[in-house]
Structure formats: structure tokens, C-alpha cells
Amino acid sequence: MGSFTIEETVLRVKDLHKMKEYYNKKLKFNIISENIRGNIGSVTLGTSQEPLLTIVSNGDEKIREKSEANLYHIAYRLPSMNDLGNFLRNAIKEKIPLTGAGDHTVSEAIYMSDPEGNGIEIYADRDEETWKWNDGYVTMGTDEVNVEELFEISDGMPEYILPIGTVIGHIHLESYDLDSYKDFYINNLKLNITSESPRAYFLSHNNYHHHFGMNQWNLQRNKPKSDKSTGLEKIVLNISRDKYKEIFNDSEYKKILLDPNKIEIDVNTISAITNI
């Protein structure tokens, strides 16, 4: 089938130092590289081995307005439920304000927002063999997370750092025209709908529960973010060559797309087939 992964994202930010501090000191992302002069520059963060997020500032950004549709959350998938429990311990220790938690049947997740309002999901998947599919749709629910169990399975683990093997599991986006948005991702990336809920779609490749979510839950969001507003600016995809041919039917092996929210999608290829 070929691999399809979300490799990295780029966020435009207003306060580069505060955002760097949050992701590094609170969420325990490793700083991979930084180039800062005053409040202008960039910082790339991730595990000790792989970049996952670059924050950038030109020094003239403004916080995204309530009318600007952009990011709902970036979802970082940890290698195991033990790691999720360990992250929850870290969230309590670091006094990270949480916005929610959910047992989604296929996964368990903890939610928060960074200092500039960008949504974050930290989650771990259950074994794929336990996922239930019906006519191409996967069963996903929202129940309470068993916090006691997460604490139990993570008891005795070393102090939390972002584990090697953490990846961007999926990205959930806001839309001001949901059907057009869904059609863009299906037509341009050949994603399959794996689940629907009122005013929301979830799409993926290779029978993953979802690589992209999109919703129109906030009707105030009626336009894309402006060039100087904070928020998600770029998504980098890494796919195998056979998956590229399946999606694009050409031999360029590289694409740059612009979605309806004016988010740049960079498609790069890898020669080896890897897991989701």
C-alpha cells in the first residue's frame, strides 16, 4: 500500500520565546535547532531524533482572530499507553492547563492549548486488531479516560521527556466550508472518509483511523487566517514513491499544494515503505 505520514508542521507565532518555553519546558519537546534574534526567527522542536514542529516569527504577527479558520489541533501520537500515563504525570507536575480528555475507542487522548491558542492532542493508539470497522468506517467514540489505569501502568517510569518514536498522528483542522474542504483533501490527496459526525469528517490512508480531521463546529470561523495571523502555516507529508504514484499519477515525486485555508502542504517522497 505504501506509507503516508505527517512528518512536520510549521506554526507562525507572536511570542517566539514564550512558545519555545512552553513546548520545551512544559511539553518536554527537544530543541533541535534555533535561530533567534530578538523575537524574530525560528525554533525546530521534536524528539531527540526527529523534528516535529517548527515555530517561526517575523516579529509583526497578531493573534488569530475568532473569525479566522485554521487549526483545531495537532495530534502527537506517543509510542504506548504507558507513555501517555507518564505524560499525564508530567502535565500535573508542570501544571499544564488541560482542555479535556477522551477515550475514543481506537485511542486515548489528552487535550490542551498552547499559549497562543493552538490546540494540541497528546494520544496513544490501542492495538489496531481491536479497532472495529464497518463498510470502511471505523468505530470512534468519546468516553471518559481511565486516569487511574494510566497512572498504574506508568508507575515507576523515568521522568517524562517526549519519547523517541513520537510522531504526528493526525491534524484536525477548522473549516468555513466543510464540504469543499473535505472534497479538496479527497480529490488532491486521495484520502478516504473513515468516520463522520455532525459537521465533521475524518479521513485517512491505509486504514488508519484518521490522518486528517476537519470540522465546522465554530460558525464564527468564516475565513482563512491572514498572512500575519498566528497559526498553522505548513504541513509536511512524507510518502513512499508507490503511494505518490497512486495519489498523483506522475513521476515528479514532490508537490506543493495550498488548501482552502491557505495552509501549504508539502509532499515529499521516501523510497522505503514503512508503517503508518
Side-chain angles (χ1 to χ4, degrees), residues 197-211:
S197 64
R199 299 203 304 273
Y201 292 102
F202 302 88
L203 303 92
S204 84
H205 275 293
N206 300 345
N207 289 326
Y208 191 56
H209 51 74
H210 66 297
H211 287 108

Side-chain angles (χ1 to χ4, degrees), residues 34-223:
E34 58 182 305
N35 180 13
I36 303 175
R37 185 170 293 181
N39 196 40
I40 298 173
S42 65
V43 182
T44 297
L45 306 105
T47 71
S48 61
Q49 295 184 348
E50 298 292 339
L52 296 173
L53 171 69
T54 297
I55 54 175
V56 300
S57 178
N58 290 332
D60 60 354
E61 284 77 12
K62 59 184 181 66
I63 297 296
R64 179 165 54 106
E65 296 177 0
K66 292 181 179 179
S67 60
E68 295 177 304
N70 184 249
L71 175 67
Y72 192 67
H73 61 238
I74 299 173
Y76 299 95
R77 187 180 75 212
L78 304 181
S80 72
M81 285 292 175
N82 304 54
D83 293 310
L84 187 64
N86 205 19
F87 171 77
L88 186 56
R89 291 175 182 274
N90 174 72
I92 294 169
K93 176 186 174 185
E94 296 294 341
K95 300 179 181 178
I96 299 171
L98 303 180
T99 58
D103 182 336
H104 300 307
T105 310
V106 295
S107 64
E108 290 195 84
I110 300 168
Y111 298 93
M112 65 227 71
S113 293
D114 71 23
E116 294 188 356
N118 300 294
I120 299 166
E121 175 182 343
I122 306 291
Y123 79 108
D125 278 338
R126 287 198 168 90
D127 192 320
E128 290 181 35
E129 293 180 358
T130 69
W131 301 357
K132 296 179 180 179
W133 292 85
N134 184 21
D135 292 331
Y137 278 50
V138 67
T139 299
M140 292 195 292
T142 301
D143 297 312
E144 289 187 5
V145 167
N146 189 333
V147 173
E148 290 78 10
E149 183 179 55
L150 288 179
F151 283 149
E152 182 179 343
I153 64 176
S154 61
D155 187 35
M157 291 183 71
E159 187 170 345
Y160 179 83
I161 58 171
L162 190 68
I164 292 172
T166 299
V167 298
I168 298 174
H170 61 270
I171 295 177
H172 195 144
L173 301 163
E174 299 171 329
S175 173
Y176 55 91
D177 185 348
L178 187 57
D179 284 333
S180 294
Y181 211 86
K182 177 251 305 177
D183 291 345
F184 172 87
Y185 276 86
I186 290 175
N187 294 336
N188 287 277
L189 293 177
K190 302 298 186 289
L191 292 156
N192 301 304
I193 298 174
T194 57
S195 184
E196 298 180 34
S197 64
R199 299 203 304 273
Y201 292 102
F202 302 88
L203 303 92
S204 84
H205 275 293
N206 300 345
N207 289 326
Y208 191 56
H209 51 74
H210 66 297
H211 287 108
F212 286 92
M214 53 199 64
N215 74 69
Q216 196 173 2
W217 292 331
N218 187 342
L219 297 180
Q220 284 184 291
R221 310 287 197 200
N222 57 30
K223 62 183 179 182

